[in-house]
Amino acid sequence: MTDPAVDAPPDPTGPAPRGLDLDRLRAYLATHRPELAAAPLSARLIAGGKSNLTYLLRCGDRAVVLRRPPLGHVLATAHDMAREHRVISALAPTDVPVPEALLLCADAEVIGAPFYLMEKVDGEVYRSRSQTDPLTAAQRRELAMTMMDTLAALHLVEPAAVGLADFGRPEGYLARQVRRWAGQLDRSRSRPLPGIDELRDALAGSVPEGANAGRIVHGDYRLDNLLASVDPVSVRAVLDWEMATLGDPLADLGLLLTYWSVLGDSELTEGNPVADGVGPRAGFPSGEELIDRYAGRSDVDVGPLHWHVALGCFKLAVICEGIHYRHTLGQTLGGGFDRIGDMVAPLVEHGLHAVRER
């Protein structure tokens, strides 16, 4: 993966980054993937991920990527490495671009947490204005539209055809989403959060029928969870599948619009690692144009999206609050976390407005 934080290769003489014991890892690889343990290992944390940790791992001349859960305060049902590994393995033969899965280790004793390895994919993770500002207007538009084409391609995959028929429980998916994120909120709450309980209750009391349920849902689909190229424009790989399941694809669309049109149209996102560099303020097409593109490439009835945008606001508010909580405990790696907590209040406000729409 190409990322501003990993332009330089890992230093084989330097210390291992936090969360990764290279000696124990090499011993494990010697048994399970000996070709990766034949040369000295070095690693560097790839900045940008705000939940699971991602490392660029050098095995001699070969580069692979390692994913593991965050340090401390790991919530139940979150950060499931086996789910990520399974879904990218299943999607490998489809039109959805994913990295090649190499190895899954469920034994937390090896490096302190379960992890998996995947091939390094060349491409750029566009997450900041310093990266997107140099793009031409045509490149920004084509990148946004290709992002929507890729999401439509994911939602067109038949789960049973790729061995994912039992990957989730589509019935009641949306109601469970509300309950799940309400539970995550309760376990991450460390300060007063005005309005967030009202938003939770409003969502719980107005869950739509979910006529589109049963599709593969990414769970956190956005521009900076893609590896992309702009010469020519393409999506090289979709990343960060920790929240993937079977459910209502409008949940993906609603969350994407939350990033794009809610955070991406707010002054608060300037320099903020959650949504800086995306949306109309950064010169990209509007959310309405994204919806039109998706609807033209998908068989999903987009219908009224207000409830799904409200769910996206609630979900992202809870995620930001969890990251804020880990930051206050000193359990985050990388920069930009000091402003994550500032995003919670505007997300709650917009979510309340969206859930009241008709």
Side-chain angles (χ1 to χ4, degrees):
M1 300 175 185
T2 300
D3 184 283
V6 293
D7 287 341
D11 180 3
T13 64
R18 287 179 65 197
L20 192 58
D21 187 322
L22 291 180
D23 290 335
R24 292 180 65 86
L25 175 61
R26 186 176 183 186
Y28 183 84
L29 294 178
T31 299
H32 298 276
R33 291 299 297 252
E35 75 280 10
L36 298 178
L41 300 182
S42 57
R44 182 185 296 272
L45 178 71
I46 298 177
K50 298 299 175 283
S51 184
N52 286 336
L53 300 178
T54 307
Y55 302 85
L56 178 66
L57 184 67
R58 292 282 181 181
C59 313
D61 293 332
R62 185 174 179 183
V64 298
V65 172
L66 183 147
R67 290 267 289 170
R68 60 149 289 166
L71 305 179
H73 189 59
V74 177
L75 299 175
T77 77
H79 317 295
D80 190 334
M81 297 294 96
R83 291 187 70 80
E84 285 200 46
H85 182 270
R86 181 182 176 188
V87 72
I88 65 172
S89 299
L91 290 172
T94 73
D95 292 335
V96 182
V98 290
E100 179 186 354
L102 300 176
L103 175 145
L104 171 67
C105 175
D107 184 0
E109 296 299 317
V110 178
I111 65 168
F115 69 92
Y116 74 94
L117 297 180
M118 57 186 171
E119 284 287 2
K120 174 182 178 291
V121 177
D122 292 329
E124 185 86 4
V125 176
Y126 288 99
R127 63 168 56 96
S128 69
R129 289 292 294 266
S130 64
Q131 295 170 282
T132 59
D133 282 350
L135 302 180
T136 67
Q139 286 174 325
R140 292 180 211 189
R141 180 172 186 81
E142 190 173 357
L143 182 59
M145 297 306 158
T146 304
M147 173 182 69
M148 301 313 296
D149 293 348
T150 303
L151 182 61
L154 170 65
H155 293 160
L156 286 171
V157 173
E158 172 56 45
V162 294
L164 294 177
D166 62 343
F167 194 59
R169 293 179 293 130
E171 300 80 8
Y173 165 76
L174 294 175
R176 288 198 308 277
Q177 281 287 293
V178 177
R179 292 196 300 270
R180 176 190 176 184
W181 291 105
Q184 304 285 52
L185 170 64
D186 290 340
R187 288 186 287 273
S188 297
R189 198 188 296 258
S190 62
R191 57 179 180 160
L193 299 170
I196 201 166
D197 294 325
E198 181 184 351
L199 176 56
R200 175 202 60 205
D201 294 344
L203 286 166
S206 59
V207 178
E209 293 183 2
N212 300 301
R215 311 293 181 99
I216 301 171
V217 174
H218 179 276
D220 194 21
Y221 191 86
R222 51 195 167 101
L223 183 62
D224 70 331
N225 272 339
L226 308 178
L227 275 167
S229 170
V230 294
D231 189 22
V233 172
S234 66
V235 172
R236 306 297 302 276
V238 181
L239 308 174
D240 291 6
W241 293 88
E242 64 182 278
M243 297 179 188
T245 189
L246 299 186
D248 192 322
L250 289 185
D252 275 344
L253 192 57
L255 182 60
L256 176 59
L257 292 172
T258 301
Y259 284 112
W260 200 266
S261 300
V262 180
L263 293 184
D265 200 31
S266 169
E267 293 181 359
L268 287 173
T269 62
E270 293 185 7
N272 191 297
V274 172
D276 185 35
V278 305
R281 286 178 60 88
F284 284 92
S286 67
E288 290 76 11
E289 291 175 276
L290 299 192
I291 296 170
D292 289 344
R293 179 72 170 214
Y294 174 85
R297 298 295 192 277
S298 170
D299 62 352
V300 174
D301 178 13
V302 296
L305 281 168
H306 66 277
W307 190 92
H308 297 275
V309 171
L311 175 63
C313 289
F314 180 62
K315 175 178 173 179
L316 191 52
V318 173
I319 291 172
C320 287
E321 187 61 22
I323 295 170
H324 167 78
Y325 182 35
R326 290 202 301 274
H327 178 67
T328 63
L329 298 176
Q331 296 173 344
T332 52
L333 301 183
F337 293 99
D338 56 324
R339 296 188 59 204
I340 293 290
D342 296 340
M343 305 310 305
V344 176
L347 283 165
V348 171
E349 181 180 358
H350 191 94
L352 286 169
H353 175 76
V355 80
R356 294 166 182 154
E357 291 183 9
R358 291 293 181 268

